[in-house]
Amino acid sequence: MAAWMPDAYGDTAAGLSSEQILEELRGHRQALHRIPELDFDLPRTIECVRHHLDGLCCEVFEPCLSCVCAYFDAGRDSTVAVRADMDALPIVERSCAPARSETPGHMHACGHDAHMAMALTFASVVDRAIACARGGLETGCAETHAAGEREAESLSGERPVLESNVLFIFQPAEETTGGAKTVCESGVFERFGVNAIFGFHVWPDLPAGTVASRPGALFARSSETHIDIKGASAHIATTYGVPDERTHDAMLAAARFVEGARSLMMRLGEREYCIAKFGLLRAGAVCNAVAGEAHIEGSLRVYSDQMFDAARDGVRSCLEDACASTGCTYEVSFASGYPPVINDRALFDRARMAVPHMLELDTPSLTAEDFSFYQQRIAGLFMLLGVGSCPACPAGASSSLHADDLYFDEEPLLAGVDTYCRLFGLGPIA
């Protein structure tokens, strides 16, 4: 597949050059990158987003806590949504970005600043397209008004027009509790008759400018798993010669469980992509005493309800065996987490027609994303946008999402705006 190339763009359907779009993208992304905020606590981010949207010919409102929406009425019967997430991560930034975080301990390390920048820039394109279609009579600012009049006069109606109304959704809390769910529960889709939704995630492992997706499963269902193992603390000297099942050693039980879970997932993985990994284990208090307690946290990722049931039952069985063999007891909880991201087949096929260079991925990812909540309400297509390797990384290497050194240039984001233009009937940026 041919990735995005800088010389592939000329004027947009709304009369903006690729250089103008890139300038706007860079301005939005760098401004937002400087002010990362967490969860639902997003006052500066919301102010920044609203500052731009309030100047456009749209209805700006907040349907639920820390969510900003903008509705552009193109006079169509249907409405399609564009989603961007706004929250950052509690990470100390160590990237080489020209505009680094100004909030200690917070960083846009998952690219949500880029998602917002693409959505805000596309909102500008939509604003100008509507102004052009209406002869510049209904716009958010004088500049757009004048541009719309000039384009309407020169093009005589030949320029492509929006195929639907557009609802932009800037949501909170993707990284924590799933802000998308609160948006769904707000009734905003019903209010505006939204029948489809698109979204992007930047992807460092894809070449810069590559747009990729797949029909069906793209991302996994996630379930955070918390385990507490209870044993009995005793001096290690008292356990010499004692059978394991009478030691009540919580650390030993935890170790056996982790190994057992690894073997379990290897077996289940032969049937379907799945994983259960445990990244936190705390046990014991001192070096010369048997651990009386152990706490384990991890994440279960699957693509189907059937595999979730099998994996959950398997984890319980591994715990039962590990604790029975060490004389311990356990408690385990599985969070409901995010559903799997399942792309609508018809929407994917439609997108491939509009964006013929979109790469169809062979396999899904075990990443989780709350975009899935939208897809439980309406048809949705989630896409990946390659941003390439970090310029500060060794040759051929790329920084990862959630890494403290994540950095990429804004230029690949042009491909994201181009994709939105194509999906909404405005044609390519060419």
Side-chain angles (χ1 to χ4, degrees), residues 103-314:
T103 306
H106 294 177
M107 177 188 174
H108 270 297
C110 199
H112 295 188
D113 52 340
H115 304 163
M116 288 185 281
M118 287 189 290
L120 289 171
T121 303
F122 182 56
S124 295
V125 175
V126 170
D127 181 68
R128 295 174 70 95
I130 291 176
C132 178
R134 296 176 178 173
L137 297 179
E138 295 184 33
T139 66
C141 63
E143 179 186 354
T144 308
H145 176 96
E149 287 183 326
R150 290 195 300 271
E151 290 163 22
E153 292 172 359
S154 63
L155 295 170
S156 303
E158 295 181 2
R159 187 178 291 281
V161 295
L162 286 163
E163 295 179 348
S164 66
N165 309 317
V166 188
L167 177 68
F168 288 87
I169 299 171
F170 295 85
Q171 68 150 87
E174 190 281 325
E175 297 288 358
T176 52
T177 56
K181 187 175 182 181
T182 65
V183 178
C184 292
E185 294 169 348
S186 74
V188 68
F189 293 144
E190 292 78 9
R191 175 184 170 189
F192 291 99
V194 179
N195 54 27
I197 187 168
F198 295 108
F200 263 114
H201 205 302
V202 293
W203 212 248
D205 292 334
L206 285 172
T210 300
V211 177
S213 190
R214 70 190 309 272
L218 177 67
F219 284 174
R221 172 180 177 177
S222 67
S223 177
E224 303 309 299
T225 306
H226 297 255
I227 299 166
D228 287 294
I229 296 175
K230 301 292 184 182
S233 183
H235 196 285
I236 60 172
T238 64
T239 64
Y240 180 76
V242 176
D244 288 346
E245 62 271 18
R246 290 169 54 193
T247 61
H248 310 294
D249 188 339
M251 182 182 291
L252 179 59
R256 288 182 175 176
F257 162 72
V258 171
E259 180 60 29
R262 178 177 177 274
S263 298
L264 166 72
M265 299 315 295
M266 290 179 66
R267 295 194 302 273
L268 293 179
E270 295 176 356
R271 294 159 43 187
E272 182 181 313
Y273 289 105
C274 59
I275 193 170
K277 282 287 187 180
F278 298 88
L280 185 151
L281 193 162
R282 291 194 300 263
V286 293
C287 65
N288 60 350
V290 170
E293 298 179 350
H295 179 74
I296 306 171
E297 294 182 8
S299 185
L300 175 62
R301 304 287 175 96
V302 298
Y303 297 107
S304 67
D305 291 340
Q306 294 81 1
M307 180 55 74
F308 178 78
D309 291 341
R312 180 185 57 191
D313 293 345

Side-chain angles (χ1 to χ4, degrees), residues 84-102:
D85 34 15
M86 298 191 289
D87 57 322
L89 288 159
I91 291 174
V92 177
E93 181 166 13
R94 295 186 176 86
S95 79
C96 58
R100 297 179 61 172
S101 170
E102 296 173 356

Side-chain angles (χ1 to χ4, degrees), residues 214-221 302-304 339-345 371-372 375-376 378-382:
R214 70 190 309 272
L218 177 67
F219 284 174
R221 172 180 177 177
V302 298
Y303 297 107
S304 67
V341 171
I342 307 294
N343 282 331
D344 182 81
R345 164 67 74 169
F371 187 86
S372 54
Q375 294 174 313
Q376 293 190 326
I378 54 178
L381 178 64
F382 201 54

Side-chain angles (χ1 to χ4, degrees), residues 47 53 72 92 160 165 181 229 287 293 316 346 352 354 377 398 420:
E47 181 182 10
L53 296 174
F72 288 83
V92 177
N165 309 317
K181 187 175 182 181
I229 296 175
C287 65
E293 298 179 350
R316 289 186 183 276
R352 282 294 296 273
R377 295 290 183 106
S398 63
Y420 282 141

